[in-house]
Amino acid sequence: MKKIDKIILYFLIPFLLFSIFYFSFETNNKTLIIIDKNGQREYSLFQKRILECEGKFGIVKVEIDNGKVRVIESNCKDKLCIKKGWISNIGEYSICLPNEVFIIIKGRGIIDAISE
């Protein structure tokens, strides 16, 4: 191993370690966006609460807990939004189409998109 190789390794290893820690903490920078009849609102995913969103046919209850979110109550027919369950990754969404309530997690992380 040449001297220049050692110098490159000494700079490359700390850079890689820093990158790993930086991107692992970056995933905590998530924001919940809810769009309903009243417009668009943003919430922190790390504050436990239950929200009431006004939909086209009534109230849709949304639970936020420990970095994840789910729909817990809706008056829609098929309850697909409730069956979706918890979402927690950036880019994931849950929609109650009959009530026109849209929930998405925004933020900047390692993963650009998730396909289902």
Side-chain angles (χ1 to χ4, degrees), residues 34 49-51 53 60-64 69-71 103:
I34 297 177
R49 61 169 58 174
I50 294 177
L51 303 169
C53 304
V60 176
K61 287 190 177 179
V62 176
E63 181 181 13
I64 303 170
V69 62
R70 68 177 176 169
V71 175
I103 300 165

Side-chain angles (χ1 to χ4, degrees), residues 31-34 40-44 49 51 64 106:
T31 303
L32 172 67
I33 296 179
I34 297 177
Q40 179 175 324
R41 291 168 284 152
E42 289 186 22
Y43 299 95
S44 169
R49 61 169 58 174
L51 303 169
I64 303 170
K106 293 275 188 171

Side-chain angles (χ1 to χ4, degrees), residues 11-66:
F11 286 106
L12 189 61
I13 290 173
F15 175 75
L16 289 175
L17 291 174
F18 172 77
S19 298
I20 290 169
F21 286 113
Y22 175 77
F23 285 115
S24 67
F25 288 116
E26 190 69 27
T27 57
N28 290 333
N29 189 14
K30 297 187 279 188
T31 303
L32 172 67
I33 296 179
I34 297 177
I35 302 171
D36 64 0
K37 193 175 180 179
N38 295 324
Q40 179 175 324
R41 291 168 284 152
E42 289 186 22
Y43 299 95
S44 169
L45 277 173
F46 300 99
Q47 187 176 14
K48 186 175 181 172
R49 61 169 58 174
I50 294 177
L51 303 169
E52 291 189 353
C53 304
E54 190 172 339
K56 188 174 181 180
F57 299 112
I59 298 296
V60 176
K61 287 190 177 179
V62 176
E63 181 181 13
I64 303 170
D65 187 16
N66 199 20

Side-chain angles (χ1 to χ4, degrees), residues 77-89:
K77 181 181 175 187
D78 296 329
K79 311 281 188 204
L80 294 176
C81 53
I82 296 172
K83 292 175 184 173
K84 171 89 178 188
W86 293 103
I87 59 172
S88 60
N89 295 317

Side-chain angles (χ1 to χ4, degrees), residues 75-112:
N75 60 357
C76 59
K77 181 181 175 187
D78 296 329
K79 311 281 188 204
L80 294 176
C81 53
I82 296 172
K83 292 175 184 173
K84 171 89 178 188
W86 293 103
I87 59 172
S88 60
N89 295 317
I90 295 170
E92 281 189 301
Y93 58 89
S94 181
I95 302 172
C96 184
L97 282 178
N99 278 307
E100 298 176 358
V101 174
F102 184 71
I103 300 165
I104 186 167
I105 298 175
K106 293 275 188 171
R108 188 172 153 231
I110 298 171
I111 301 170
D112 290 340

